[in-house]
Amino acid sequence: MHGTQAAAAKAKRSRKSFWLKQLHTWHWMSSAISLIGLLLFAITGFTLNHAAEIEATPASVEKAAQLPPPLLAMVKPDDAPDSKKPLPADVAKFVGEKLAMPTAGDAEWSVDTVYLAQPRPGGDGWISIDRATGEVTSEVSSRGWIAYLNDLHKGRNSGAVWKWFIDLFVLACIVFTLTGLVLLWMHSKHRKSTWPLVFAGLAIPAALAVFFIH
């Protein structure tokens, strides 16, 4: 009987050791993956919280070009109703090369103008084509690096790839926090302040939200 109990205890310790090792592995790997992202999101959380006090000096660059007659014929006015559609491939290539701007996406086609918005993190951009004269004008504006990082924090005008990155980053953070919580639980018997501190981490923001946010 004694031997059976000892074997059972040994098996229990072995299982605990296995899961503890797995949790430590998942915890450090998820923390390594999310480390830089957490740092950047923490910093930009601060800059967003103080956006009104952090002044930015917008800068803009304007450019102009002229469509040659063959390309002008592709955008000349017609009787079609206002619509949204991409620029013709040859027009897009010409405009992109002349203005050094991306030309992908749907443009707004009206009676006299083709307008292509090109918003970006930390700034804005647009291209306008006069359908009668072929005059092409553009403007690119920037509000600086802080605005750029703030927009990345919010996923504003950052594209699908950045959106996928944020989703994966969130997953890594969830693994990091949940494995950390389980490790806290496993070590809490020897660290009496564990649960009071965890409770404080919940109670303090909850109390601030209830009593000071209206």
Side-chain angles (χ1 to χ4, degrees):
M1 181 66 71
H2 180 72
T4 303
Q5 291 177 343
K10 183 178 179 180
K12 183 178 180 180
R13 288 194 299 270
S14 179
R15 286 195 300 270
K16 182 177 180 180
S17 176
F18 170 79
W19 284 112
L20 186 60
K21 183 178 180 180
Q22 292 298 313
L23 286 167
H24 275 292
T25 300
W26 298 340
H27 189 66
W28 80 257
M29 290 182 67
S30 59
S31 68
I33 291 172
S34 58
L35 175 63
I36 301 302
L38 279 171
L39 179 63
L40 290 176
F41 274 80
I43 293 172
T44 51
F46 176 85
T47 56
L48 283 168
N49 197 40
H50 295 272
E53 295 115 54
I54 301 175
E55 295 185 3
T57 304
S60 61
V61 176
E62 298 180 2
K63 294 182 179 180
Q66 178 67 42
L67 289 180
L71 298 183
L72 176 58
M74 297 181 182
V75 298
K76 65 180 181 180
D78 52 33
D79 296 329
D82 293 356
S83 62
K84 286 189 175 183
K85 59 183 180 180
L87 297 176
D90 290 341
V91 174
K93 181 180 179 181
F94 174 86
V95 171
E97 291 175 351
K98 288 293 184 180
L99 303 181
M101 288 183 65
T103 55
D106 288 341
E108 299 176 10
W109 293 66
S110 61
V111 175
D112 53 5
T113 304
V114 180
Y115 180 84
L116 179 62
Q118 293 289 353
R120 61 197 63 206
D124 202 359
W126 54 263
I127 298 169
S128 179
I129 303 174
D130 188 306
R131 300 182 67 179
T133 66
E135 181 184 11
V136 184
T137 55
S138 71
E139 180 178 286
V140 176
S141 61
S142 172
R143 302 189 306 277
W145 278 102
I146 292 179
Y148 177 81
L149 293 174
N150 285 347
D151 282 349
L152 291 184
H153 181 111
K154 296 181 288 185
R156 178 178 178 269
N157 300 323
S158 304
V161 174
W162 185 256
K163 181 180 179 180
W164 297 337
F165 165 75
I166 291 179
D167 289 342
L168 293 174
F169 169 71
V170 168
L171 179 61
C173 289
I174 291 173
V175 173
F176 175 61
T177 54
L178 291 181
T179 53
L181 179 62
V182 176
L183 287 170
L184 284 175
W185 171 70
M186 295 182 74
H187 293 295
S188 61
K189 289 182 180 180
H190 308 291
R191 299 170 182 172
K192 301 301 181 183
S193 61
T194 295
W195 297 121
L197 288 173
V198 172
F199 177 76
L202 170 65
I204 292 173
L208 292 175
V210 170
F211 295 106
F212 295 101
I213 299 177
H214 303 286

